Amino acid sequence: MTAALGIVVIGTEILRGKRQDAHFARTRRQLAARGYEVAWCLVVPDTADILVDQLRWAMARAEPVFSFGGLGATPDDLTRACAATAAGLPLRRHPEAEQLIRAQFGAAAEPVRVRMADLPDSATLIPNPINKVPGFSLGKQHFFPGFPQMAEPMSEWVLAQYYPPRAGNVEQRILLPGAREGELVPLMESFCATHPRIAFSSLPSLRQHGMQLELGVAGLPADVARAMADLQQRLRAEGLTIVPLDDASSHEEAPESAS
């Protein structure tokens, strides 16, 4: 089972600053609660050629994808049609989706709302407890409406159906006061080659009393414990001072201001 999922947020209004995205942070919390991570995130406009290209790229990747937005029936809601094109499938009226929409809206389903039942052929439905208009899945690609109030319970349903809880990754970080990143690159390269299952990060910063370097290792708990012990042994051999990040608050100072 994959340990990470991709996110696609669709909406020109987000790129233009008219709306603030709420999906990334919420989905990241949802995934973390079940032991998963975000592999990547795209913000894509309501532009057909761009949307098709980006969805085709996402569909070709190994990780599952959560996509938010563009499922309505207005001219700028292109996700259903673009997902069909990206997947090489025809767009067809889904009988169950049509039934749900007609039951919810009655005569007002025509002539516009019923179009939201036009889905890529072979799509399966994601129930929407708010207004009954479903999202849909194409294998490991899951498409939700742009309304966060709808997307949250719908994505929770998908997670419960297809992505069982797993042992999540942990991260340990250390601070190296006075260390310079460039001088430690060979050590870092050797460390990463020794621990290929570990995600390694290096974050230098300039403080009032000089440079400092924050190093992090992330992965499964047993792998992180072994890797961090090895990393600290290598750093001590270089004569560096090591401060666990939880104990590093006294070393945190305001960064040097630009003049």
Side-chain angles (χ1 to χ4, degrees):
M1 176 62 66
T2 182
L5 289 80
I7 297 174
V8 179
V9 179
I10 300 168
T12 301
E13 67 277 5
I14 294 172
L15 293 170
R16 290 179 177 171
K18 294 181 179 179
R19 293 277 180 90
Q20 295 296 315
D21 168 58
H23 296 294
F24 173 79
R26 177 190 55 75
T27 303
R28 183 177 57 81
R29 291 192 297 269
Q30 279 184 312
L31 296 177
R34 300 180 73 84
Y36 297 89
E37 297 180 348
V38 176
W40 46 264
C41 180
L42 303 176
V43 181
V44 186
D46 299 294
T47 304
D49 59 339
I50 297 176
L51 188 49
V52 168
D53 286 346
Q54 294 305 302
L55 289 178
R56 190 174 284 143
W57 175 86
M59 290 175 178
R61 294 190 57 81
E63 57 270 356
V65 178
F66 278 13
S67 175
F68 301 96
L71 298 189
T74 59
D76 61 339
D77 288 319
L78 306 176
T79 301
R80 291 175 288 105
C82 289
T85 300
L89 297 169
L91 193 69
R92 290 182 177 162
R93 183 66 52 90
H94 192 290
E96 185 181 351
E98 180 180 5
Q99 182 180 8
L100 288 166
I101 292 169
R102 292 190 184 278
Q104 177 71 10
F105 297 104
E110 292 285 359
V112 173
R113 289 186 175 95
V114 72
R115 297 175 189 167
M116 293 186 287
D118 295 339
L119 303 177
D121 193 30
S122 78
T124 58
L125 301 186
I126 301 172
N128 182 341
I130 306 300
N131 73 351
K132 309 306 178 185
V133 178
F136 65 93
S137 296
L138 288 173
K140 60 185 176 60
Q141 324 294 324
H142 309 286
F143 294 84
F144 307 97
F147 294 101
Q149 300 91 333
M150 296 181 187
E152 183 167 4
M154 294 171 73
S155 54
E156 282 287 359
W157 184 88
V158 168
L159 289 169
Q161 289 290 116
Y162 304 117
Y163 304 99
R166 63 184 297 279
N169 288 343
V170 298
E171 182 179 25
Q172 291 185 18
R173 295 175 293 166
I174 55 176
L175 189 69
L176 307 178
R180 293 183 175 272
E181 186 178 46
E183 297 172 357
L184 295 176
V185 170
L187 184 152
M188 296 176 187
E189 291 175 338
S190 174
F191 170 79
C192 290
T194 304
H195 302 277
R197 292 160 56 94
I198 286 295
F200 174 80
S201 63
S202 174
L203 182 64
S205 59
L206 178 61
R207 302 292 172 170
Q208 290 180 350
H209 297 293
M211 295 296 299
Q212 65 179 22
L213 183 63
E214 179 185 316
L215 301 181
V217 294
L220 294 177
D223 294 332
V224 167
R226 285 191 294 268
M228 181 54 77
D230 180 30
L231 180 60
Q232 293 195 33
Q233 183 178 11
R234 295 172 188 241
L235 294 170
R236 290 192 182 98
E238 297 292 325
L240 293 168
T241 300
I242 300 171
V243 182
L245 194 60
D246 288 346
D247 300 330
S249 58
S250 62
H251 296 261
E252 294 293 331
E253 301 167 350
E256 294 279 6
S257 58
S259 59

